[in-house]
């Protein structure tokens, strides 16, 4: 079997970026679906799971004017273990009562009273709790009464939000993702948390066009601002009337477009961290499901 390679898109700048331009680039990169980012002073390298994703990112960044500021090149690089090394020193993250921890930084058993501890093996491209949008979703979930509800986690990644929802009282959770690697990562999370055989959390390789999906009481969608704008109608059809959605992965600048995309819902709460936003949106009980 051939060794794993990673499609890479590099942006080479004539001089180091100033803070304002770097922040703008990171916002645009968030819409690209990169699995990892290597940010040097004058070279930014984006790593992707598939060449098609890299090519789409190239088109997106070119369309947003980066070709006038940097030289954009593509290549395929061997894995050489860089993905694992890049995650090797990540510490546990605590959000309220929820702790998301790699196996090497789990809190001692005698110090877990009142905590929801979720063990996750860091995996390039999938949630470890370190991104602001994941933390915002975990914070938002803890403000909801999840007792006995059904949860749908769209774009589940490592499965952290689905597991957290059940540990916080949900009756069951279904995590879906259209990336087979994500589902493999999520199922590893279930195994690590003794949930694989117990049934309340399931994972499925599925997209929003899957006719088998049924509306849930709570829908989590930690995606990107672009995806939420594009897929808002499909996502909100999966929220049961009177149910709610926890949405994140978008910035303050994108918040208005997300609200407009979810026109059958009302914003019930907003959470912010740096320039990232999460909404808790309630679907109106009289809203059409069509």
């Amino acid at each position: 079997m051939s060794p794993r390679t990673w499609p890479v898109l590099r942006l080479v700048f004539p001089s180091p970026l100033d803070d304002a331009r770097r922040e703008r680039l990171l916002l645009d990169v968030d819409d690209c679906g990169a699995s990892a980012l290597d940010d040097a002073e004058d070279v930014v390298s984006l790593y992707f799971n598939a060449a098609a994703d890299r090519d789409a990112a190239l088109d997106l960044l070119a369309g947003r004017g980066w070709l006038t500021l940097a030289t954009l090149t593509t290549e395929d690089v061997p894995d050489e273990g860089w993905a694992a090394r890049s995650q090797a020193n990540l510490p546990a993250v605590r959000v309220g009562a929820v702790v998301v921890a790699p196996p090497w930084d789990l809190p001692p058993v005698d110090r877990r009273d009142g905590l929801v501890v979720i063990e996750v093996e860091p995996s390039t491209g999938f949630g470890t709790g370190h991104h602001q949008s994941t933390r915002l979703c975990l914070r938002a979930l803890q403000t909801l009464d999840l007792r006995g509800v059904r949860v749908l986690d769209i774009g589940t990644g490592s499965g952290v939000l689905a597991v957290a929802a059940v540990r916080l009282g949900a009756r069951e959770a279904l995590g879906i993702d259209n990336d087979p690697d994500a589902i493999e990562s999520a199922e590893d999370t279930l195994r690590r948390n003794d949930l694989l055989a117990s049934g309340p959390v399931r994972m499925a390789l599925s997209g929003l066009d899957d006719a088998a999906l049924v509306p849930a009481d709570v829908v989590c969608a930690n995606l990107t601002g672009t995806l939420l704008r594009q897929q808002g109608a499909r996502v909100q059809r999966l929220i049961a009337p009177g149910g709610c959605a926890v949405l994140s992965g978008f910035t303050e600048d994108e918040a208005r477009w997300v609200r407009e995309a979810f026109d059958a819902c009302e914003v019930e709460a907003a959470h912010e961290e740096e320039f990232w936003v999460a909404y808790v949106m309630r679907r109106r009980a009289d809203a059409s499901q069509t």
Side-chain angles (χ1 to χ4, degrees), residues 106-167:
L106 287 165
V109 174
D110 60 355
R111 296 184 184 177
R112 297 188 186 187
D113 286 351
L115 296 178
V116 173
V117 178
I118 303 172
E119 181 181 342
V120 175
E121 175 70 41
S123 176
T124 303
F126 309 121
T128 61
H130 288 80
H131 194 276
Q132 294 92 330
S133 65
T134 307
R135 295 198 295 267
L136 287 168
C137 288
L138 289 170
R139 187 192 308 172
L141 282 172
Q142 292 174 77
T143 68
L144 301 176
D145 183 359
L146 298 176
R147 290 173 298 179
V149 307
R150 289 181 56 256
V151 175
L152 174 64
D153 181 20
I154 297 171
T156 195
S158 65
V160 162
L161 297 181
V163 171
V166 165
R167 290 286 169 83

